[in-house]
Structure formats: C-alpha cells, structure tokens
Amino acid sequence: MTKMEFWELMEIFRNKSDGDNEVFLQSAQEYLSGCNVEEIYYFGGYLGAYMESVNECIWIDMACKVINGYVSDDTGLYFALWLMSQGEKVLLEALTNPDSLANLPYIPFGNAEFEMLMSVTFEMIGEDMDIEKVHSIQIKCLEIIAPDIQYKNNDKYGNYECFEDGMEDIPNILPNLIKRAYSENFDWKNLYEF
C-alpha cells in the first residue's frame, strides 16, 4: 500500500461516513477484511507514522483545546486520529496553520476524537500480529511521509517555555477557530481547565 492509496482509502471511508466515526470504522474494517495481511500492516504503518508526526505537536494541541475544550496526552492523540479522518490536506495544513481548521464544513465541537481508529489494524490481524513487523513498517512509513510533514514556524513544539505558555497563546494563534467555536455556542475556554 502506498501513501497515496492510504489517503484515497481514508477519503472513501470519510465520504461513506458523513461524519459518523462508527460508519467510518465499519467501512475501514469491511475494506481491510478483503486485504492481504501485508496491506493491513501498511495501513496501520501509515496511521502510526502520521500519529507519531502529530503527537505532542503544540499547534495540534492548541486546536484540540479550542475544538474539544480540553487537551491531554490521550485526548490529543484521539483528536489527531480525528484530524487524520478528515483527510491528508486537512491534516497537513493544520500542522502549518492550525487556524485553517476554522474552515472545515463540520466540526463536532466537544467531541472531535476518534480513538477506535487506532485499533483497526490490530482488530483485523488479531493475536498473530507481529509487533516487530509493525514497528519496522511504521519506520518505513515515517521515512516516506517525512518530506510532507511541515510545522508552523518549522517547530513542532513552538518556542514556548512550557506547555501552559503555549496554551496561553491560543488567542494569538487560533483567532478564527475561536470565532468559529463561539459562533457554534461552544465555550472552549471555560469548559475545562487545561
């Protein structure tokens, strides 16, 4: 499976789901059930590679805070999976310009997470999964996607002293996303403490 095929599949699953994570997951499972084990490993490899690229990215964590009202290690990861389900263009643009998420046609404020997507390949392969092979394929996928991954200001973590400083800077980084949240009656700032 190539990177292009991975994203084509994600688009097919997204189009079938109409924003419903369960339908997206069911479409993925149905498709992968007809694939050979190698293709399933590569699907999981690309998923893992993009998760690794997005994990702990301050810009994505900021967007998670505005869209979901909170961010933690787990919720940041689940938000990243939701972002991936929105497609390659949305994901890559969010890394360089997280405020671009304000332009999405639909944002499920307070619930933009897709935890179950993380386990789809494990469910398809089952107990016979070779963890060393998973790791090896994910490293290959990371090398393949590396040229595409760019971060805002060329810095995954921002130039902040600490995570909290990054969260304090949200109004300067995500003005349009904040406007969108308020226009949809979502009080991102007062929902939970970060």
Side-chain angles (χ1 to χ4, degrees), residues 60 63 67 83 89-105 107 173-177 180:
I60 300 305
I67 290 175
L83 261 183
K89 183 177 186 284
V90 170
L91 176 70
L92 296 180
E93 190 172 356
L95 292 174
T96 58
N97 177 18
D99 208 28
S100 66
L101 294 173
N103 300 320
L104 287 176
I107 300 173
I173 303 299
L174 302 174
N176 295 316
L177 191 56
R180 172 80 183 268

Side-chain angles (χ1 to χ4, degrees), residues 28-104:
Q29 290 167 334
E30 286 173 6
Y31 178 84
L32 292 172
S33 69
C35 292
N36 65 45
V37 174
E38 193 76 7
E39 289 174 308
I40 297 170
Y41 273 116
Y42 268 92
F43 183 86
Y46 282 111
L47 202 58
Y50 283 106
M51 284 178 6
E52 180 68 29
S53 298
V54 175
N55 189 34
E56 296 182 356
C57 174
I58 190 69
W59 316 112
I60 300 305
D61 284 344
M62 288 177 173
C64 180
K65 169 66 175 144
V66 174
I67 290 175
N68 285 329
Y70 57 94
V71 64
S72 67
D73 289 344
D74 288 343
T75 59
L77 181 61
Y78 305 154
F79 176 72
L81 288 159
W82 175 81
L83 261 183
M84 282 182 252
S85 75
Q86 303 309 297
E88 181 182 25
K89 183 177 186 284
V90 170
L91 176 70
L92 296 180
E93 190 172 356
L95 292 174
T96 58
N97 177 18
D99 208 28
S100 66
L101 294 173
N103 300 320
L104 287 176

Side-chain angles (χ1 to χ4, degrees), residues 10-175:
M10 294 293 273
E11 184 174 349
I12 290 168
F13 304 152
R14 184 178 65 258
N15 288 338
K16 286 183 178 181
S17 72
D18 198 30
D20 185 324
N21 286 353
E22 288 185 25
V23 175
F24 187 110
L25 191 63
Q26 183 179 7
S27 296
Q29 290 167 334
E30 286 173 6
Y31 178 84
L32 292 172
S33 69
C35 292
N36 65 45
V37 174
E38 193 76 7
E39 289 174 308
I40 297 170
Y41 273 116
Y42 268 92
F43 183 86
Y46 282 111
L47 202 58
Y50 283 106
M51 284 178 6
E52 180 68 29
S53 298
V54 175
N55 189 34
E56 296 182 356
C57 174
I58 190 69
W59 316 112
I60 300 305
D61 284 344
M62 288 177 173
C64 180
K65 169 66 175 144
V66 174
I67 290 175
N68 285 329
Y70 57 94
V71 64
S72 67
D73 289 344
D74 288 343
T75 59
L77 181 61
Y78 305 154
F79 176 72
L81 288 159
W82 175 81
L83 261 183
M84 282 182 252
S85 75
Q86 303 309 297
E88 181 182 25
K89 183 177 186 284
V90 170
L91 176 70
L92 296 180
E93 190 172 356
L95 292 174
T96 58
N97 177 18
D99 208 28
S100 66
L101 294 173
N103 300 320
L104 287 176
Y106 172 69
I107 300 173
F109 282 98
N111 194 32
E113 297 180 355
F114 199 173
E115 178 182 4
M116 295 306 296
L117 183 57
M118 188 168 48
S119 62
V120 69
T121 53
F122 294 105
E123 290 176 10
M124 300 310 299
I125 295 173
E127 294 177 10
D128 295 332
M129 180 166 275
D130 181 341
I131 299 303
E132 287 182 23
K133 186 170 185 171
V134 169
H135 183 69
S136 171
I137 288 175
Q138 185 171 325
I139 289 171
K140 286 180 192 174
C141 293
L142 271 167
E143 291 170 2
I144 292 167
I145 71 167
D148 300 336
I149 304 298
Q150 304 294 321
Y151 301 102
K152 181 175 177 61
N153 302 333
N154 295 314
D155 190 345
K156 183 176 184 177
Y157 307 103
N159 192 21
Y160 299 105
E161 292 284 322
C162 62
F163 179 79
E164 288 76 16
D165 288 350
M167 294 297 103
E168 290 294 329
D169 201 28
I170 287 174
N172 297 317
I173 303 299
L174 302 174

